[in-house]
């Protein structure tokens, strides 16, 4: 069993060094990472003028000496609302950082994001956006072990290897595009669907020299989602979500729902609970709290795939903290939420 685990670790080390066809960095709480899900979400803040947030994901701590850690910080705002009668521009940015495995494969991405949002009638909104950024990856090869360093009993990274990297630090330009549509006929119903394409410029990403017949360009990643929000009564708000992404031959499907329960009677304090399912991979329970315009949520990926044989069913945990607000909270009814909100009940 130990040998199988070691071999698995080696394989994953190699995949992160060599392959460019795997999935990008991602969060189970995709709905709480709006700018990485779709650049058209930039400035699409149904109940506020600005939004800032952080996300943290830790996974494989039960089978890796150094667990994989993914972190992000983002911020966006609605600007030039007084320049357009029924539309506005969203501007923002996001920083992503990921440290993976014993090779300390470090990925850093910094994006600037713009979107335009246009009301097409009293209850519909269309949005289009893009982001452009700088991506960097680097790796510490001294901690990696390769297949030809296996001596029959152990992997010894002091043994010579035929694997030679041309560079352990690479950078490139990265571009994403996205579209959104929102439908909100009244204060109790809200639906939102979107599509985005990531890495549309197909940047080259490899630590090796370009080899004939080897495609080292990053595959375009496609993301689609549907979000809903329904005010059930004066205490309950439910939010179903569906998320699908595909990149090269990898696919991911996540579906589920979370609900908000009014603890204070005026919506100022809300308890959050939910459950999501990642197809053939994990169950993802969610718990959280919202107080006024700050929301904190925690999820835990419970592995149900064959990987549970190695991690005892334990998977990844995530934490998200988001604040939405108004530039001037004394502007009266300047901003009416397009999304059902227990703080602005339709009762």
């Amino acid at each position: 069993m130990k040998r199988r685990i070691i071999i698995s670790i080696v394989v994953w080390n190699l995949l992160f060094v060599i392959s460019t066809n795997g999935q990008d960095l991602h969060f189970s709480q995709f709905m709480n990472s709006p700018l990485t899900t779709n650049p058209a979400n930039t400035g699409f803040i149904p109940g506020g003028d600005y939004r800032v947030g952080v996300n943290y994901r830790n996974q494989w701590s039960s089978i890796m000496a150094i667990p994989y850690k993914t972190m992000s910080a983002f911020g966006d705002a609605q600007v030039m609302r007084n320049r357009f009668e029924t539309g506005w521009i969203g501007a923002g940015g996001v920083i992503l950082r990921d440290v993976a495995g014993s090779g300390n494969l470090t990925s850093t991405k910094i994006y600037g994001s713009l979107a335009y949002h246009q009301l097409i009638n009293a209850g519909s909104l269309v949005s289009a956006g893009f982001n452009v950024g700088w991506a960097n990856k680097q790796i510490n090869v001294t901690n990696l072990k390769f297949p030809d360093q296996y001596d029959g009993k152990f992997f010894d990274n002091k043994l010579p290897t035929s694997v030679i990297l041309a560079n352990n630090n690479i950078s490139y330009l990265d571009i994403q595009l996205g579209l959104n549509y929102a439908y909100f006929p009244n204060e109790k119903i809200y639906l939102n669907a979107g599509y985005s394409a990531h890495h549309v410029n197909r940047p080259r990403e490899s630590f090796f020299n370009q080899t004939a017949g080897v495609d080292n360009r990053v595959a375009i990643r496609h993301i689609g989602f549907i979000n809903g929000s329904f005010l059930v009564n004066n205490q309950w708000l439910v939010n179903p979500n569906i998320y699908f992404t595909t990149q090269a031959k990898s696919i991911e499907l996540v579906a589920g729902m979370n609900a908000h329960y009014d603890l204070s009677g005026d919506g100022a304090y809300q308890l959050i609970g939910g459950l999501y399912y990642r197809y053939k991979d994990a169950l993802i329970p969610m718990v959280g709290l919202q107080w006024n315009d700050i929301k904190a949520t925690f999820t835990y990926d419970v592995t149900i795939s064959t990987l549970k044989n190695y991690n005892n069913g334990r998977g990844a945990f995530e934490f998200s903290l988001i604040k939405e607000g108004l530039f001037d909270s004394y502007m009266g009814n300047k901003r009416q939420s397009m999304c059902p909100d227990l703080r602005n009940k339709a009762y």
Side-chain angles (χ1 to χ4, degrees):
M1 178 63 72
K2 289 183 179 180
R3 178 179 173 183
R4 289 176 63 188
I5 294 176
I6 293 173
I7 293 175
S8 297
I9 293 172
V10 173
V11 170
W12 276 105
N13 279 330
L14 288 173
L15 285 175
F16 273 97
V17 175
I18 298 172
S19 174
T20 62
N21 290 328
Q23 284 278 17
D24 279 349
L25 309 181
H26 72 102
F27 294 101
S28 292
Q29 296 187 46
F30 59 91
M31 73 296 293
N32 291 326
S33 183
L35 272 61
T36 61
T37 299
N38 189 331
N41 286 330
T42 308
F44 181 43
I45 311 166
D49 293 327
Y50 70 89
R51 171 176 56 192
V52 292
V54 293
N55 304 92
Y56 175 79
R57 178 178 176 86
N58 182 299
Q59 65 184 34
W60 290 11
S61 59
S62 59
I63 61 175
M64 302 293 290
I66 303 176
Y68 291 13
K69 300 175 183 178
T70 306
M71 298 147 278
S72 77
F74 68 89
D76 61 330
Q78 299 179 358
V79 298
M80 301 180 69
R81 288 190 64 93
N82 58 343
R83 299 287 184 90
F84 306 96
E85 183 176 352
T86 57
W88 67 90
I89 290 175
V94 59
I95 300 174
L96 270 167
R97 184 172 176 84
D98 181 82
V99 180
S102 58
N104 287 331
L105 175 62
T106 303
S107 174
T108 303
K109 299 180 179 183
I110 302 173
Y111 297 105
S113 190
L114 285 174
Y116 179 73
H117 309 276
Q118 179 64 54
L119 287 165
I120 56 177
N121 57 46
S124 294
L125 179 78
V126 293
S127 308
F130 71 95
N131 67 36
V132 179
W134 170 82
N136 172 269
K137 286 192 174 182
Q138 53 185 296
I139 193 167
N140 180 2
V141 296
T142 59
N143 292 332
L144 289 176
K145 301 177 180 67
F146 297 94
D148 55 3
Q149 293 177 320
Y150 184 65
D151 61 9
K153 293 183 178 180
F154 306 100
F155 287 92
D156 184 356
N157 61 0
K158 295 183 177 59
L159 294 176
T161 178
S162 60
V163 180
I164 300 175
L165 304 185
N167 197 340
N168 67 347
N169 191 318
I170 58 174
S171 298
Y172 54 83
L173 181 74
D174 200 16
I175 301 174
Q176 283 65 234
L177 303 173
L179 296 170
N180 265 348
Y181 172 74
Y183 175 66
F184 38 95
N186 54 56
E187 293 179 318
K188 298 181 183 180
I189 298 173
Y190 166 85
L191 294 169
N192 172 221
Y195 164 78
S196 60
H198 297 233
H199 320 302
V200 294
N201 59 321
R202 297 292 312 279
R204 295 188 182 277
E205 181 187 274
S206 178
F207 293 114
F208 298 93
N209 286 324
Q210 187 172 352
T211 304
V214 176
D215 183 8
N216 59 8
R217 290 185 177 275
V218 179
I220 294 177
R221 181 183 183 187
H222 304 274
I223 297 177
F225 66 87
I226 300 175
N227 296 324
S229 188
F230 303 93
L231 193 61
V232 179
N233 54 41
N234 62 355
Q235 285 189 305
W236 288 98
L237 177 71
V238 297
N239 305 293
N241 312 94
I242 300 174
Y243 169 93
F244 177 80
T245 181
T246 178
Q247 184 178 18
K249 296 181 180 180
S250 299
I251 64 171
E252 180 183 1
L253 174 65
V254 181
M257 182 180 73
N258 69 78
H260 291 225
Y261 178 76
D262 185 2
L263 293 172
S264 58
D266 59 359
Y269 297 93
Q270 301 172 31
L271 179 66
I272 302 170
L275 181 65
Y276 291 83
Y277 169 65
R278 180 180 296 112
Y279 181 62
K280 291 185 177 181
D281 181 58
L283 289 173
I284 309 168
M286 170 187 283
V287 294
L289 287 171
Q290 179 162 334
W291 55 101
N292 295 315
D293 56 3
I294 298 175
K295 179 176 67 174
T297 51
F298 176 86
T299 55
Y300 188 82
D301 295 16
V302 182
T303 305
I304 60 175
S305 68
T306 54
L307 185 60
K308 67 182 180 181
N309 298 326
Y310 303 101
N311 69 357
N312 297 318
R314 292 178 291 176
F317 69 84
E318 276 186 27
F319 175 75
S320 170
L321 182 66
I322 296 176
K323 174 181 170 59
E324 294 183 5
L326 299 171
F327 289 128
D328 188 342
S329 60
Y330 300 100
M331 297 184 73
N333 60 0
K334 169 185 175 289
R335 291 289 289 114
Q336 177 70 30
S337 177
M338 293 177 287
C339 191
D341 192 334
L342 288 171
R343 295 168 297 174
N344 180 37
K345 302 171 185 178
Y347 292 89

